């Protein structure tokens, strides 16, 4: 074996370690998708189970066309029937002559049913088209459930084998699921809250998100400007990957000539990002300061519904007022409460429209100064920015709009300075 062959295990090991590390989000340390599988009752050759999917991610939601959940059966199980969801492929059920199973696939893939599904096919918390809000926006809409009747599986705790190789898509790639683990049996309460029952068997699966697995390149970037500098700091060049200028759209009128599934969708920019977030330090008062945030969609064929923006800044624990966005503080650690979650007002700007004149949302906010406040050394700009749960590429620190050399945090207007000089001159003459 030559020396090159010895390198591959090491490279693979480090890539695996990078992926595991990337799955941990310091701003949302407990964020994950939890799949809970509760065996509710036994049948002649299997069981009836309720599967609950909960999005515990504070600011990453599951967008249309929704989640899909897959697994591999441990034995030769079949799905006799389902409510609240469906398997996308029935598979080969030719060995069954009387009752036809819902799915005979050894590795079924299940999707949520659409809104408006007939009532007799529904279960509680189903039928949202697979869309789940983030836990930080609305916990009541961050849960989905379905029921399935499993056969050929055994009908006791000793004979049932847990499925394996769970996969979760939401709707794209990015999630890695743990092996299922037996958990304490779930408890259920009657509608009047007086009686408590238990599942016969419960197991959990945890799925975590890794941005690198979802996309090889970033999906958003940050640009900056300020009232005290004429310099505008753009997004880094090629922040979301470099591409041929013929693979993007130079102007909106070019859309008429674009056809095909692989046609370019993005507006041509130096950074090639579908989302650009702009941070503008707008005004500086005695005890307060004002900033403006603008989110621009540069994708001509994609709307972002229920979008989220997360910003980490040391002064965000002192936000006084936010216009146009919903604001919620999130504090992953007690010592760090300068992280804020923003999202749109329902039916007003909770949908970021496709690129064009209306393809942006913006808000201003007023913050109270704390003892650490300064406009020097780029302090007024954010430390981290996330859009829809993906971290945006920041400009390089040396490119931040800094104060002029002779400026201070509250520069004196030129007119006032002139009056002061005139007064001093007159005083010397008298």
């Amino acid at each position: 074996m030559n020396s090159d062959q010895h390198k591959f295990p090491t490279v693979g090991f480090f890539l695996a370690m990078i992926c595991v590390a990337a799955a941990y989000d310091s701003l949302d340390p407990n964020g994950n998708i939890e799949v809970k599988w509760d065996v509710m009752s036994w049948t002649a050759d299997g069981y009836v189970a309720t599967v609950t999917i909960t999005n515990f991610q504070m600011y990453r939601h599951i967008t249309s066309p929704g989640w899909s959940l897959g697994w591999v059966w441990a034995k030769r199980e079949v799905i006799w029937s389902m409510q609240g969801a469906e398997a996308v492929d029935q598979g080969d059920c030719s060995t069954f002559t009387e009752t036809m199973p819902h799915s005979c696939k050894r590795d079924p893939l299940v999707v949520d049913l659409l809104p408006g599904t007939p009532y007799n096919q529904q279960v509680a918390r189903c039928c949202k088209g697979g869309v789940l809000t983030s836990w930080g926006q609305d916990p009541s809409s961050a849960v989905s459930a379905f029921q399935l009747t499993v056969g050929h599986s055994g009908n006791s705790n000793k004979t049932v084998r847990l499925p394996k190789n769970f996969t979760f898509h939401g709707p794209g790639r990015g999630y890695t699921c743990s092996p299922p683990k037996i958990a304490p049996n779930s408890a259920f309460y009657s509608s009047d809250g007086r009686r408590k029952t238990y599942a016969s068997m419960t197991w959990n699966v945890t799925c975590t998100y890794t941005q690198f697995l979802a996309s090889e390149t970033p999906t958003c970037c940050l640009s900056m400007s300020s009232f005290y500098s004429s310099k505008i700091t753009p997004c880094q060049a090629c922040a979301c990957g470099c591409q041929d200028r013929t693979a993007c759209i130079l102007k909106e009128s070019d859309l008429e000539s674009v056809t095909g599934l692989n046609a370019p969708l993005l507006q041509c920019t130096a950074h090639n990002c579908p989302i650009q977030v702009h941070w503008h330090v707008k005004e500086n008062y005695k005890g307060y300061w004002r900033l403006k945030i603008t989110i621009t969609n540069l994708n001509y064929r994609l709307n972002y519904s229920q979008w989220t923006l997360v910003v980490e800044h040391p002064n965000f624990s002192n936000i006084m007022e936010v216009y146009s966005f919903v604001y919620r503080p999130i504090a992953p650690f007690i010592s760090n409460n300068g992280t804020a979650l923003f999202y749109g007002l329902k039916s007003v700007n909770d949908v970021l429209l496709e690129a064009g004149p209306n393809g942006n949302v913006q808000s201003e906010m007023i913050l109270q100064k704390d003892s650490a406040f300064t406009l020097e050394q780029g302090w007024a700009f954010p430390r981290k920015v996330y859009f829809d749960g993906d971290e945006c590429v920041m400009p390089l620190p040396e490119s931040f709009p800094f104060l002029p050399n002779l400026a201070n945090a509250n520069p004196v207007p030129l007119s006032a300075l002139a009056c002061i000089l005139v007064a001093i001159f007159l005083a010397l003459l008298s």
Side-chain angles (χ1 to χ4, degrees):
M1 183 179 291
N2 59 38
S3 59
D4 290 337
Q5 289 176 301
H6 286 285
K7 296 178 182 178
F8 290 108
T10 304
V11 172
F13 172 78
F14 280 111
L15 286 175
M17 292 299 293
I18 290 171
C19 290
V20 171
Y24 176 77
D25 185 349
S26 61
L27 300 186
D28 188 16
N30 299 315
N32 58 56
I33 300 287
E34 182 186 85
V35 180
K36 186 173 69 168
W37 195 297
D38 290 309
V39 176
M40 306 302 295
S41 61
W42 302 107
T43 64
D45 70 336
Y47 59 86
V48 177
T50 295
V51 179
T52 306
I53 300 173
T54 306
N55 181 14
F56 285 115
Q57 298 174 113
M58 286 298 295
Y59 43 79
R60 185 176 295 107
H61 55 281
I62 308 301
T63 60
S64 180
W67 58 261
S68 59
L69 179 69
W71 61 86
V72 176
W73 290 118
K75 299 192 288 186
R76 295 185 179 275
E77 293 91 337
V78 297
I79 301 175
W80 283 117
S81 63
M82 295 192 71
Q83 285 186 290
E86 62 184 357
V88 299
D89 190 346
Q90 184 184 36
D92 182 6
C93 296
S94 58
T95 57
F96 294 85
T97 57
E98 296 182 3
T99 304
M100 192 65 64
H102 177 80
S103 175
C104 302
K105 290 278 289 183
R106 178 166 170 75
D107 55 346
L109 184 67
V110 170
V111 295
D112 193 14
L113 294 181
L114 298 173
T117 295
Y119 184 76
N120 61 357
Q121 299 176 29
Q122 295 186 29
V123 294
R125 294 179 168 176
C126 82
C127 313
K128 306 172 185 176
V131 174
L132 298 175
T133 62
S134 65
W135 193 260
Q137 288 175 283
D138 183 7
S140 65
S141 299
V143 183
S144 185
F146 61 89
Q147 190 176 85
L148 73 167
T149 302
V150 180
H152 295 188
S153 63
N155 53 6
S156 71
N157 291 32
K158 294 182 179 180
T159 57
V160 167
R161 297 291 179 265
L162 276 58
K164 54 187 178 182
N165 298 342
F166 276 84
T167 59
F168 183 87
H169 295 272
R173 303 176 302 166
Y175 288 91
T176 303
C177 298
S178 69
K181 295 182 180 180
I182 296 291
N185 294 5
S186 299
F188 300 91
Y189 292 87
S190 60
S191 57
D192 59 9
R194 298 168 62 184
R195 174 173 166 76
K196 181 167 65 171
T197 58
Y198 294 89
S200 299
M201 190 176 182
T202 297
W203 59 81
N204 291 336
V205 175
T206 300
C207 302
T208 54
Y209 180 83
T210 304
Q211 184 173 342
F212 177 77
L213 294 178
S215 175
E216 293 182 358
T217 58
T219 57
C220 68
C221 63
L222 182 74
S223 55
M224 301 173 172
S225 60
S226 64
F227 71 91
Y228 54 76
S229 174
S230 59
K231 177 183 178 181
I232 296 178
T233 300
C235 288
Q236 285 193 49
C238 300
C240 298
C242 288
Q243 61 184 16
D244 186 356
R245 299 290 286 184
T246 60
C248 57
I249 297 171
L250 286 170
K251 53 185 182 297
E252 194 170 354
S253 59
D254 293 341
L255 283 171
E256 299 175 1
S257 60
V258 174
T259 58
L261 294 176
N262 296 321
L265 303 175
L266 297 183
Q267 179 180 327
C268 290
T269 59
H271 52 75
N272 292 320
C273 296
I275 294 293
Q276 178 178 348
V277 180
H278 186 76
W279 178 287
H280 177 64
V281 180
K282 191 171 183 180
E283 293 177 277
N284 183 24
Y285 308 111
K286 183 177 181 180
Y288 304 89
W289 62 293
R290 180 190 290 260
L291 69 89
K292 180 179 181 179
I293 297 177
T294 304
I295 309 171
T296 302
N297 184 3
L298 300 171
N299 191 320
Y300 282 104
R301 292 183 181 172
L302 180 63
N303 295 332
Y304 292 86
S305 59
Q306 296 182 329
W307 57 267
T308 60
L309 182 74
V310 172
V311 182
E312 182 182 7
H313 188 281
N315 203 201
F316 266 17
S317 56
N318 295 318
I319 290 180
M320 304 298 295
E321 190 166 1
V322 177
Y323 306 92
S324 304
F325 290 172
V326 178
Y327 156 68
R328 177 179 175 179
I330 54 176
F333 303 108
I334 296 176
S335 61
N336 176 18
N337 59 354
T339 306
L341 166 64
F342 303 98
Y343 51 94
L345 298 167
K346 188 173 183 180
S347 302
V348 177
N349 58 356
D350 59 336
V351 177
L352 176 56
L353 299 176
E354 62 189 22
N358 299 317
N360 67 85
V361 291
Q362 52 189 300
S363 177
E364 294 188 12
M365 56 196 74
I366 297 177
L367 300 92
Q368 186 175 20
K369 294 180 180 179
D370 58 18
S371 58
F373 178 84
T374 177
L375 290 177
E376 297 178 349
Q377 304 300 319
W379 186 92
F381 298 103
R383 307 304 184 259
K384 286 185 179 180
V385 176
Y386 290 68
F387 178 81
D388 270 3
D390 285 344
E391 188 170 358
C392 302
V393 178
M394 299 282 291
L396 297 174
E398 58 267 24
S399 66
F400 284 23
F402 288 116
L403 283 166
N405 290 335
L406 298 178
N408 55 47
N410 293 285
V412 180
L414 291 177
S415 57
L417 182 60
C419 291
I420 293 173
L421 292 175
V422 170
I424 294 173
F425 179 74
L426 293 175
L428 293 174
L429 291 179
S430 60

